[in-house]
Amino acid sequence: IDYALALLHLPTPTKSKGITLQDLISPKTYDPNDISTTCYAPLAVSDANGDGIVQTNEYVTFVSSLSDGYYNVTTFDALPFVVKINFVYLTCLCNYNGGGDGCCAGENGGLFVSGAGVGEVPTEEEQIYLETVCGDTQGSIDYAIEQETVGGPTSSPVIVPTVSPVTGPTVSPVATPTTSP
């Protein structure tokens, strides 16, 4: 799958005012008022091999944490499409931070955890990046859950076709009102 191409066709989630059904279904794990505990720590812990980059095989752990276990999967491919696209998008932000060509491809790609570890204080640039990673990942998870629970397409066509509301053709409009059908 060409995730970068698919990103161009991804609908933009919208946020309505007030409480949404999603807010009632599952409270968000990520809290911007407590970002160190609710996002930085899970992101840093997800970097299982300690190389400073959360790659696809580690991203599933981060998604599981932010989804409060809703997406407790073992492979990147098992994640919802929008959550995978989010990873590709975030991975390629390195192009804007001086990462150079190829910084978001293959084994070079991933989410940087610098500044997210216990006791680390992120630089201003790291903080902006980490807040983007946290907010966008939580947003993609919320969007995926919403599509699954309230607004997504059905998984297969219906077995019985729907019945038309009328039994015959309708009469064309007439210039003057009539008293009978």
Side-chain angles (χ1 to χ4, degrees):
I1 297 175
D2 186 350
Y3 293 114
L5 179 60
L7 180 61
L8 298 173
H9 301 290
L10 186 66
T12 304
T14 58
K15 177 122 176 123
S16 61
K17 294 181 180 179
I19 296 175
T20 66
L21 178 60
Q22 180 57 39
D23 293 332
L24 299 173
I25 293 171
S26 92
K28 292 175 175 52
T29 301
Y30 162 60
D31 178 2
N33 297 316
D34 187 15
I35 196 168
S36 292
T37 305
T38 63
C39 185
Y40 290 4
L43 181 63
V45 167
S46 297
D47 180 23
N49 65 4
D51 67 354
I53 301 172
V54 171
Q55 295 174 325
T56 57
N57 61 322
E58 299 166 319
Y59 180 65
V60 296
T61 304
F62 181 54
V63 170
S64 180
S65 292
L66 286 190
S67 69
D68 200 24
Y70 188 89
Y71 291 116
N72 191 20
V73 299
T74 58
T75 65
F76 182 79
D77 289 339
L79 291 170
F81 182 73
V82 68
V83 178
K84 291 186 280 191
I85 290 298
N86 178 69
F87 178 82
V88 173
Y89 158 72
L90 292 172
T91 295
C92 289
L93 287 179
C94 64
N95 285 318
Y96 301 102
N97 294 329
D101 291 338
C103 70
C104 67
E107 292 186 21
N108 295 328
L111 307 179
F112 297 99
V113 299
S114 181
V118 176
E120 290 184 44
V121 177
T123 66
E124 185 177 344
E125 186 176 283
E126 288 171 339
Q127 183 175 355
I128 292 168
Y129 172 77
L130 292 169
E131 287 176 4
T132 301
V133 167
C134 295
D136 288 2
T137 302
Q138 184 69 63
S140 70
I141 290 167
D142 292 346
Y143 183 80
I145 292 172
E146 180 181 334
Q147 292 303 300
E148 288 178 17
T149 58
V150 293
T154 58
S155 59
S156 61
V158 294
I159 296 171
V160 179
T162 55
V163 179
S164 290
V166 296
T167 58
T170 57
V171 179
S172 297
V174 294
T176 59
T178 59
T179 56
S180 62

